[in-house]
Amino acid sequence: MNKKFIIAWALIFVAWFLGSFVVHGVLLHSDYAQLPNLFRTEADAQKYFPLMILAHVILSGALVWIYARGAEAKPWVAQGVRFGIVVALLTVVPNYMIYFVVQPMPGNMVLKQIVYDGVLMVILGMIVAWLYRTAAKTA
């Protein structure tokens, strides 16, 4: 771990946490409210909020670590978009598909989750690629 990694980890954490709030706390809030038997109440969820923070810390560190190991001397925008798409195909898409199979979730909501979190992942990929752009040029 070096200074660049720690800074990237912190910035990706903030971006991911805020992006997740926009996706799940704003864009999908009304969808989730229609399924009270599948989701905790907001008051109940607050009791577990430290776990949400810890999860985002872990996700962010892993995302930066993986990107930093594979950054190439190529244009950072395209590399970030590709990385975001691949991570979304590895995580976002199959996870929501699996949840759809095991939980009675409306298909249109699952599609929104996939699209919104997929877009967020591409944005995060571009951010981490931008943070490592000079490293990729000299690699």
Side-chain angles (χ1 to χ4, degrees), residues 11-137:
L11 291 174
I12 290 297
F13 167 77
V14 170
W16 204 333
F17 201 78
L18 291 174
S20 290
F21 172 76
V22 169
V23 169
H24 300 284
V26 178
L27 297 174
L28 292 169
H29 185 268
S30 62
D31 293 277
Y32 294 153
Q34 294 175 20
L35 301 168
N37 294 333
L38 289 180
F39 296 99
R40 294 183 189 278
T41 64
E42 290 182 33
D44 192 32
Q46 286 301 315
K47 291 188 278 188
Y48 301 99
F49 196 69
L51 290 174
M52 182 70 72
I53 294 170
L54 178 60
H56 280 82
V57 167
I58 294 167
L59 288 164
S60 302
L63 188 82
V64 172
W65 186 84
I66 292 167
Y67 185 85
R69 298 301 172 271
E72 298 178 279
K74 293 183 178 178
W76 68 268
V77 173
Q79 195 166 192
V81 169
R82 278 192 309 272
F83 181 68
I85 290 170
V86 168
V87 172
L89 291 174
L90 179 67
T91 60
V92 172
V93 175
N95 280 331
Y96 286 121
M97 289 172 68
I98 290 167
Y99 291 150
F100 179 70
V101 170
V102 300
Q103 290 181 313
M105 302 190 55
N108 65 338
M109 186 179 78
V110 173
L111 183 60
K112 287 182 200 177
Q113 289 172 317
I114 289 170
V115 170
Y116 296 157
D117 269 344
V119 169
L120 176 58
M121 192 56 60
V122 170
I123 292 168
L124 293 170
M126 290 174 61
I127 293 170
V128 75
W130 180 78
L131 292 167
Y132 274 87
R133 70 193 179 282
T134 54
K137 287 179 185 175

